[in-house]
Amino acid sequence: MNKLKKNLNLKTILRKRPKLGIVFKLIMYILLIDFAFIYLYPFLHMIINSLKSADDILDVSVKWVPNELCFDNFKLAFESLDYVPRFFKTLLAVGLCSLGHVLSCSFIGYGFARYNFRGKRILFFLLILSMVVPTQTIIVPLYILYSKLGMIPGQLAIILPSFLGFGLNGALFVFIFRQFFLSLPAALEEASAIDGCGPVRTFFRIALPIAKPTVIISTVLGVVWHWNDFFEPGLYIQKQKNFYLSMILPTMSEAVENAKAGVQEAAETPYTDATVMAAVILVVLPIFIGYMFIQRKFVQSIETSGITGE
Amino acid sequence: MTGYLFLAPWIIGGILLLAYPLIFSFRLSFSELENFTTYKMNWVGLAHYKQAFLGDIHFVTCITWGLRKILLETPIIVIFSLIVAIMISRNIKGKGFFRSIFFLPVLLGTGYVMDMLNQQGITVSSMEVTREILLSPTVQAYLPQEAYQFLSTLLSYIPTVLWGSGVQIVLFLIGIQKIPPELYESARVDSATEWEMFWKITLPMISPIILLNIIYTIIASYRDSSPLVNWILFQGFDQGEFEYASAMGWIFFAFVLIVIGLVALCMRPFINRVTKRY
């Protein structure tokens, strides 16, 4: 009788955490540690390689512990990247692009989530379609269009699309914002509408601040993607002087590859694999530092923002 | 009407940056440019498409490579990122540590940095690990040649798969967090096991995100450099064969559309069931 009572007590059942078998738990931790190892391994490799001297990098027996720590690689990479001026150039462009993405994509996503109008289904289908179109298919006409508009060479061709909800993964951001606004009850916005707030003002005053978690997620993703991107900028910005940080990397590693392959002109290159690795680390360093500051917020946002289905 | 107001930037962008280039490159793929100042085109029919399939030894290998990559890697990446997302969504010890490691590919996994990691670290070094630890000569001696080959290719895929699944893990994690806890509670009251709850609650509830992730994985597989992309760019910008480059772009687009369309068709009944029920 007593036992039955215990079982019937709903509260105790609900409070009980799900019991995982010890074997299951063990497997889970082993898997997690394994995966973490695979993620960290190349990264550690990169850091170690960047600290090797030119002799060590050619020496097969030197793997994890270099004979001497060689910080000259970083110095050389720092100089050949032309780091400081390029850093600010990149920062400005990436900032503008991400700002454009967040503003336009939240705006458009809100429209998709909250309003009903004719052709909404077709437009949404087109949105998904625009996500799928390979840039390679339309890069030629885009290039022609931009050069007709007089935006090539220049940065405008990279920044403008992000303010229209296009550009690097723009459609994905629209989708994420739409899903967030769909899962949000409309009560607050209705209240502000009753108080005489227009739709655009309601969006900027009420909806966008509520969407803060999603804004954080898409800002982080947008900044990272734009920061690492070199394909479209490489086509549109043609002067080496105006290149962004990540766009210098291919030229450096190409020189190293050429020198290895024995191409005459590249034989004199001061770069080694270690320099390239140091340059890669220098390029991603700002992202790491920025991420460290925002990490807590980012993880929190993932926990609170919702992308539910349809 | 206000709906159109909110969509206005997207519609303008869509006409300017999507519809116009698409139509332009479609027309371009069927014609020959007369000169590069006025872009006057002369109709040549299917000549470029014929050239792609019959005259170009590079193109067919590139496109089969790209498609094989999509078909092989997408399911592995999606399943893997789902497993990881479920594991780190639980209350485990060292949750913060694991999460920050699993978000590493989000920060590093795109663009040139990813290429460098691929070249230097991932492929080479992890191949070493698999060679030395998992598939040591002893193992090789006891396995049939075919099985060994199969295993080593499978293992060499793992790092690429892992590094390609950063964003997918984030998206899955967001989806899992959003499943109402009441569902699990009521299932627990009915004495469902973890295993049953996964198949009956978690999986159906995140099926729309599975579709999103499949689409994203396919897109990501050709967004950065791949042989086909490089070939198209080489033809278009180095050789000046804009017409041929757009024809190849369209062929590739058609293949991708077919793959994604098939996936979406197969997933549709599951997703509809979920949206109807909840």
Side-chain angles (χ1 to χ4, degrees):
Chain A
M1 190 60 205
N2 209 0
K3 205 179 171 188
L4 194 69
K5 222 180 192 176
K6 218 179 189 177
N7 275 346
L8 281 179
N9 194 344
L10 256 179
K11 261 189 181 164
T12 50
I13 296 175
L14 285 183
R15 267 200 205 130
K16 232 194 317 186
R17 302 262 350 133
K19 261 192 196 149
L20 290 174
I22 185 105
V23 180
F24 186 76
K25 236 179 185 169
L26 201 69
I27 291 174
M28 205 170 82
Y29 277 107
I30 289 176
L31 272 180
L32 275 177
I33 291 168
D34 273 359
F35 291 151
F37 173 73
I38 297 179
Y39 276 131
L40 283 179
Y41 189 90
F43 192 62
L44 291 177
H45 202 85
M46 193 165 88
I47 294 174
I48 292 291
N49 264 3
S50 73
L51 288 171
K52 283 179 184 169
S53 64
D55 291 334
D56 279 356
I57 209 149
L58 291 175
D59 191 347
V60 193
S61 63
V62 179
K63 236 182 185 174
W64 286 108
V65 190
N67 287 325
E68 47 173 341
L69 291 182
C70 180
F71 289 96
D72 292 352
N73 297 321
F74 281 94
K75 220 174 118 196
L76 181 62
F78 192 85
E79 277 160 12
S80 42
L81 278 175
D82 206 0
Y83 199 77
V84 179
R86 260 194 236 291
F87 170 77
F88 286 109
K89 225 171 268 167
T90 319
L91 194 68
L92 182 71
V94 168
L96 275 175
C97 283
S98 311
L99 181 75
H101 260 149
V102 169
L103 279 181
S104 64
C105 293
S106 58
F107 197 69
I108 298 159
Y110 185 76
F112 269 118
R114 278 285 182 268
Y115 292 98
N116 279 317
F117 43 85
R118 286 185 71 170
K120 184 174 155 182
R121 284 184 72 96
I122 297 172
L123 284 175
F124 189 67
F125 175 74
L126 286 177
L127 178 84
I128 302 292
L129 195 75
S130 75
M131 192 151 58
V132 176
V133 174
T135 329
Q136 301 81 276
T137 310
I138 55 171
I139 192 74
V140 173
L142 268 183
Y143 186 85
I144 294 170
L145 177 76
Y146 289 140
S147 59
K148 260 187 195 164
L149 292 175
M151 294 199 282
I152 288 178
Q155 309 186 23
L156 207 59
I158 305 157
I159 295 166
L160 179 80
S162 65
F163 275 92
L164 296 172
F166 279 82
L168 212 58
N169 281 331
L172 185 72
F173 291 130
V174 175
F175 187 85
I176 292 176
F177 273 109
R178 170 187 177 264
Q179 298 307 92
F180 178 80
F181 287 125
L182 272 183
S183 72
L184 201 72
L188 269 178
E189 291 139 72
E190 277 161 14
S192 81
I194 289 169
D195 287 347
C197 204
V200 176
R201 212 167 135 207
T202 308
F203 169 75
F204 281 109
R205 286 288 168 83
I206 312 275
L208 197 58
I210 297 176
K212 203 173 140 204
T214 315
V215 169
I216 290 175
I217 290 177
S218 42
T219 312
V220 169
L221 291 179
V223 166
V224 168
W225 283 335
H226 280 290
W227 191 274
N228 291 341
D229 188 34
F230 66 98
F231 169 60
E232 278 191 78
L235 284 176
Y236 300 147
I237 307 174
Q238 284 153 349
K239 285 181 199 133
Q240 178 115 22
K241 193 168 68 87
N242 293 330
F243 271 16
Y244 300 150
L245 275 178
S246 60
M247 292 156 66
I248 309 294
L249 296 175
T251 20
M252 284 179 77
S253 75
E254 219 165 79
V256 175
E257 290 298 315
N258 283 343
K260 271 188 201 161
V263 177
Q264 280 293 323
E265 305 95 65
E268 296 293 306
T269 180
Y271 306 140
T272 58
D273 277 332
T275 336
V276 178
M277 285 295 114
V280 170
I281 289 177
L282 281 178
V283 169
V284 293
L285 196 66
I287 286 193
F288 261 101
I289 294 171
Y291 180 71
M292 265 178 217
F293 282 108
I294 209 171
Q295 190 202 22
R296 189 172 292 261
K297 278 262 166 62
F298 183 61
V299 175
Q300 264 173 18
S301 308
I302 285 176
E303 279 166 3
T304 50
S305 88
I307 305 181
T308 45
E310 285 301 305
Chain B
M1 269 334 273
T2 20
Y4 291 117
L5 172 76
F6 277 99
L7 258 62
W10 186 75
I11 292 173
I12 295 169
I15 293 168
L16 208 66
L17 303 174
L18 190 73
Y20 168 75
L22 272 180
I23 294 167
F24 190 101
S25 80
F26 193 65
R27 265 179 60 208
L28 200 61
S29 70
F30 285 103
S31 32
E32 199 75 52
L33 278 178
E34 216 172 66
N35 58 49
F36 284 94
T37 42
T38 54
Y39 302 107
K40 193 173 173 296
M41 299 177 204
N42 292 325
W43 180 262
V44 291
L46 283 169
H48 296 301
Y49 289 87
K50 256 188 206 152
Q51 190 196 343
F53 282 112
L54 301 176
D56 189 342
I57 44 168
H58 217 80
F59 176 71
V60 178
T61 29
C62 280
I63 206 163
T64 43
W65 189 88
L67 279 178
R68 201 166 58 201
K69 193 173 157 208
I70 289 176
L71 293 178
L72 264 177
E73 281 179 13
T74 312
I76 307 177
I77 288 181
V78 171
I79 291 169
F80 167 78
S81 49
L82 177 61
I83 293 172
V84 169
I86 287 174
M87 286 198 289
I88 56 176
S89 72
R90 292 176 162 283
N91 253 330
I92 51 170
K93 287 204 181 74
K95 192 160 113 182
F97 169 73
F98 283 122
R99 282 195 181 180
S100 25
I101 286 181
F102 288 114
F103 291 152
L104 256 183
V106 179
L107 302 183
L108 299 175
T110 53
Y112 196 72
V113 180
M114 181 62 189
D115 277 6
M116 284 320 296
L117 274 171
N118 245 329
Q119 259 177 36
Q120 284 282 329
I122 298 179
T123 340
V124 181
S125 54
S126 59
M127 290 274 265
E128 277 170 17
V129 173
T130 52
R131 284 274 152 71
E132 282 166 16
I133 301 170
L134 290 168
L135 292 174
S136 57
T138 348
V139 179
Q140 195 185 358
Y142 284 100
L143 276 179
Q145 189 60 34
E146 284 80 18
Y148 178 77
Q149 283 288 334
F150 176 74
L151 264 182
S152 66
T153 29
L154 199 70
L155 285 173
S156 67
Y157 262 115
I158 291 178
T160 338
V161 165
L162 259 69
W163 276 86
S165 54
V167 178
Q168 287 88 329
I169 292 175
V170 172
L171 290 178
F172 270 136
L173 208 53
I174 296 172
I176 290 170
Q177 306 282 355
K178 203 61 191 176
I179 300 173
E182 302 95 79
L183 288 179
Y184 290 105
E185 276 163 18
S186 55
R188 231 166 265 146
V189 170
D190 290 344
S191 71
T193 59
E194 287 280 326
W195 184 245
E196 284 165 342
M197 281 194 275
F198 169 73
W199 287 103
K200 302 271 155 128
I201 299 173
T202 314
L203 205 59
M205 286 303 279
I206 55 167
S207 59
I209 299 177
I210 296 178
L211 181 63
L212 177 70
N213 265 340
I214 290 174
I215 294 177
Y216 178 81
T217 314
I218 293 175
I219 301 162
S221 79
Y222 58 74
R223 193 186 43 219
D224 287 334
S225 54
S226 73
L228 186 68
V229 178
N230 295 340
W231 183 240
I232 291 176
L233 286 182
F234 173 74
Q235 286 288 344
F237 288 92
D238 293 351
Q239 305 276 12
E241 298 265 356
F242 283 146
E243 311 90 336
Y244 184 43
S246 23
M248 288 197 290
W250 267 95
I251 296 170
F252 184 61
F253 184 31
F255 273 111
V256 171
L257 266 190
I258 290 169
V259 172
I260 290 178
L262 281 178
V263 172
L265 267 183
C266 296
M267 299 269 305
R268 218 190 156 84
F270 300 101
I271 294 171
N272 276 349
R273 221 164 61 198
V274 176
T275 43
K276 254 180 220 152
R277 213 184 279 168
Y278 301 107

